Amino acid sequence: MKKILIINGHPDKESFNFGLAESYKTGAQKSNAIIKEINIRELCFNPNLQFGYRKRTELEPDLLNAQTKLKWADHLVWVYPVWWGSVPAIMKGFLDRILLPGFAFNKKENSLWWDKYFTGKTARIICTLDQPAWYYKWFYGNPSHNAMKKLTLNFIGVKKVRTTTIGPIQLSKKEFRAKWLKKVEKMGLLNN
């Protein structure tokens, strides 16, 4: 059975992102996958990597638990809105605080290369926008996708990363949202 971790980076529990995460979970449950969740908004932690990597900041219990879940999972599903071409601040702080040297990667001594500790895992990014997905891709070059896929997940060893971009959300109709909830449920069913 596939072990799936759904990480929701939206700070508002009434957002469409929570509906998308729930739809993916519903589909994954139908496939008999084992599912765990992290709703970043519910975690108690300081999102500021105060000293960078110069000095260790002790991880709060919620972050230690999140690290355990990340290591456990075969497939990581990230659900979040794109704000200012990036992820929400709370999600960025979450990434900064948990994807640490010694946990997610480790720099090799006297080298520009590093060991990647998340090899063998796969990921799905599901993100929402307030503009059409094609516009975000062709006019801006998908900056948040590149940062999350290439500079974060690939950096720690997650090679196979699929991205689903949904937008525009702000002016979307009920039918548009319902269609996407069904599509995301199917992604969950297929575990991709």
Side-chain angles (χ1 to χ4, degrees):
M1 276 191 249
K2 199 163 202 178
K3 297 181 289 188
I4 299 174
L5 177 62
I6 302 170
I7 308 110
N8 191 330
H10 202 299
D12 181 359
K13 69 179 178 180
E14 294 180 26
S15 73
F16 184 54
N17 283 241
F18 272 77
L20 292 167
E22 193 60 34
S23 287
Y24 191 98
K25 179 180 172 183
T26 298
Q29 286 171 330
K30 290 177 183 176
S31 76
N32 294 320
I34 303 167
I35 303 149
K36 293 187 181 183
E37 297 175 86
I38 297 174
N39 290 313
I40 298 173
R41 73 174 302 279
E42 296 171 359
L43 305 182
C44 183
F45 72 102
N46 178 355
N48 186 20
L49 187 61
Q50 187 172 358
F51 305 106
Y53 297 144
R54 180 180 57 81
K55 182 178 167 186
R56 175 81 182 210
T57 302
E58 290 303 314
L59 294 175
E60 295 86 347
D62 282 352
L63 293 185
L64 291 170
N65 186 37
Q67 283 186 333
T68 300
K69 289 178 179 179
L70 285 165
K71 279 293 189 189
W72 164 86
D74 301 317
H75 186 62
L76 307 171
V77 180
W78 298 86
V79 183
Y80 58 88
V82 173
W83 289 346
W84 295 106
S86 188
V87 300
I90 192 74
M91 184 172 157
K92 178 64 169 79
F94 176 78
L95 293 168
D96 286 348
R97 291 292 313 283
I98 64 164
L99 298 181
L100 298 171
F103 170 71
F105 69 97
N106 215 21
K107 296 278 187 174
K108 293 183 178 184
E109 195 170 330
N110 298 318
S111 174
L112 296 174
W113 302 107
W114 61 97
D115 293 316
K116 302 173 181 186
Y117 295 157
F118 277 63
T119 57
K121 295 182 186 295
T122 58
R124 162 70 67 179
I125 295 169
I126 301 169
C127 59
T128 57
L129 305 162
D130 279 338
Q131 59 189 280
W134 63 266
Y135 191 88
Y136 186 67
K137 177 179 181 179
W138 294 109
F139 286 88
Y140 295 117
N142 287 330
S144 66
H145 299 1
N146 292 330
M148 192 63 185
K149 180 178 179 177
K150 297 176 183 176
L151 302 170
T152 304
L153 295 172
N154 290 168
F155 184 90
I156 63 173
V158 182
K159 291 258 189 248
K160 188 176 177 184
V161 180
R162 294 181 176 175
T163 305
T164 299
T165 311
I166 305 167
I169 292 299
Q170 186 178 21
L171 302 174
S172 66
K173 304 275 189 262
K174 191 176 184 179
E175 298 78 26
F176 176 85
R177 291 178 182 225
K179 177 186 86 167
W180 274 108
L181 291 171
K182 279 192 168 298
K183 282 184 177 183
V184 169
E185 182 177 332
K186 188 174 181 181
M187 286 176 209
L189 179 63
L190 299 173
N191 297 169
N192 70 18

